[in-house]
C-alpha cells in the first residue's frame, strides 16, 4: 500500500545543502488542491529549482533562505535530476513547475475551495487567466495583479502586493513573475501573507493558458526544453543559460567534495 501524500511530504533527501522533496508533480498538485494551510502552518512555499537557482545559491543569501524555508523543493531542471540520480538519491523523476500547474488547472473543480491570486507578467496573461476562471466557474475566486517592472527593488511596491494578496484571503498563490523575484518575495513577506500555498512557477501559467507554446513531446522526452526556450528567446536566455551552466558545475563540484 502506498504511503499517503501527507506522509511522503515529510520525506526528504539532501542535495546542495538543501532538503528536497520526494513528491511527484501529481502528488504536489493533489496536496495543494486538497488542503488549506492553517494559520499555524502559514505559507507553504513551493519552489522548483533549475540550474540557475543552484548556481546562484552561493551568492544570493535571500534565495538560499527561501529554498531553506520552502515547504516543497523539487528537482525541476534535468541536470539536477540526473545528478541526484547519480548520487543514488530517491528521486522519482523531474518535478517541474509546468507539470504541477498543468495538473492543477486540468481539474479546476478541485480548486473551488481556494481563493486564488495570480501575480502575472502582463495584461494579456491576466485576460487569459480570467477567461480560464470564467470558463470553469472560478471568476469570483480569482484575483490577478501585474506588478510594475522592478517591483522587487521597491519596498513600497512589495508591501502593497503583500497587502493585496492578504486582502483577497488568498489560499493559493501563483507567482508568475520569474525566478528569484517570486521566491524571495514570498519568503521575505511570509509574515504579511495569509496562510496559503505559494507556487513559484515562472512561465508555467503562460504555457497552461496557451499564451506560450509548450515544448514538443520529443523535446521533452530528450530533456531539450532549455534549447527550445533559447530558440524562442535567444537574446534573453543564451547568456543566462551559459552563466548558469558554469555556476551549476561549480555547485556540483562543491557538493561532491562536501559529501566525500
Amino acid at each position: 500500500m502506498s504511503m499517503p501524500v501527507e506522509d511522503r511530504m515529510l520525506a526528504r533527501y539532501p542535495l546542495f545543502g538543501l532538503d528536497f522533496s520526494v513528491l511527484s508533480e501529481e502528488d504536489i498538485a493533489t496536496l495543494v488542491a486538497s488542503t488549506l494551510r492553517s494559520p499555524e502552518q502559514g505559507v507553504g512555499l513551493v519552489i522548483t529549482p533549475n540550474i540557475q537557482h543552484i548556481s546562484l545559491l552561493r551568492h544570493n543569501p535571500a534565495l538560499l533562505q527561501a529554498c531553506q524555508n520552502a515547504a516543497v523543493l523539487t528537482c525541476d531542471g534535468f541536470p539536477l535530476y540526473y545528478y541526484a540520480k547519480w548520487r543514488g538519491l530517491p528521486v522519482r523523476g523531474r518535478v517541474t513547475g509546468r507539470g504541477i500547474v498543468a495538473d492543477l488547472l486540468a481539474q479546476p473543480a478541485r480548486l473551488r475551495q481556494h481563493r486564488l491570486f495570480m501575480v502575472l507578467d502582463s495584461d494579456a496573461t491576466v485576460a487569459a487567466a480570467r477567461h480560464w476562471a470564467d470558463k470553469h466557474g472560478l471568476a469570483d475566486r480569482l484575483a490577478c495583479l501585474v506588478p510594475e517592472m522592478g517591483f522587487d527593488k521597491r519596498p513600497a511596491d512589495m508591501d502593497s502586493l503583500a497587502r493585496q494578496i492578504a486582502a483577497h484571503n488568498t489560499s493559493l498563490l501563483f507567482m508568475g513573475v520569474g525566478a528569484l523575484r517570486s521566491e524571495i518575495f514570498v519568503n521575505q513577506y511570509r509574515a504579511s501573507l495569509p496562510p496559503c500555498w505559494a507556487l513559484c512557477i515562472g512561465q508555467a501559467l503562460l504555457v497552461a493558458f496557451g499564451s506560450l507554446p509548450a515544448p514538443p513531446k520529443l523535446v521533452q522526452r530528450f530533456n531539450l526544453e532549455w534549447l527550445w526556450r533559447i530558440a524562442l528567446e535567444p537574446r534573453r536566455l543564451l547568456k543566462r543559460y551559459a552563466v548558469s551552466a558554469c555556476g551549476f558545475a561549480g555547485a556540483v563540484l562543491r557538493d561532491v567534495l562536501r559529501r566525500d
Side-chain angles (χ1 to χ4, degrees), residues 67-87:
C67 291
Q68 289 171 334
N69 291 338
V72 178
L73 194 68
T74 75
C75 286
D76 184 326
F78 79 91
L80 277 72
Y81 165 65
Y82 283 118
Y83 173 59
K85 190 174 180 180
W86 176 73
R87 297 294 306 198

Side-chain angles (χ1 to χ4, degrees), residues 36 48-49 61 76 89 121 128 134 136 172 193 195 197 229:
L36 297 172
T48 60
D76 184 326
L89 299 173
D121 66 320
D134 288 342
H136 297 292
L172 178 51
L193 297 175
W197 290 105
R229 291 194 63 194

Side-chain angles (χ1 to χ4, degrees), residues 5 7-15 18-25 27-28 31 45-47 49 70-75 84 89-93 95:
V5 173
D7 292 339
R8 288 203 303 277
M9 186 176 174
L10 300 176
R12 297 285 190 274
Y13 59 86
L15 200 66
L18 299 169
D19 292 326
F20 280 75
S21 171
V22 302
L23 298 179
S24 67
E25 292 172 352
D27 288 339
I28 296 168
L31 180 67
L45 178 56
V46 178
I47 302 178
V72 178
L73 194 68
T74 75
C75 286
L89 299 173
V91 287
R92 301 169 61 194
V95 179

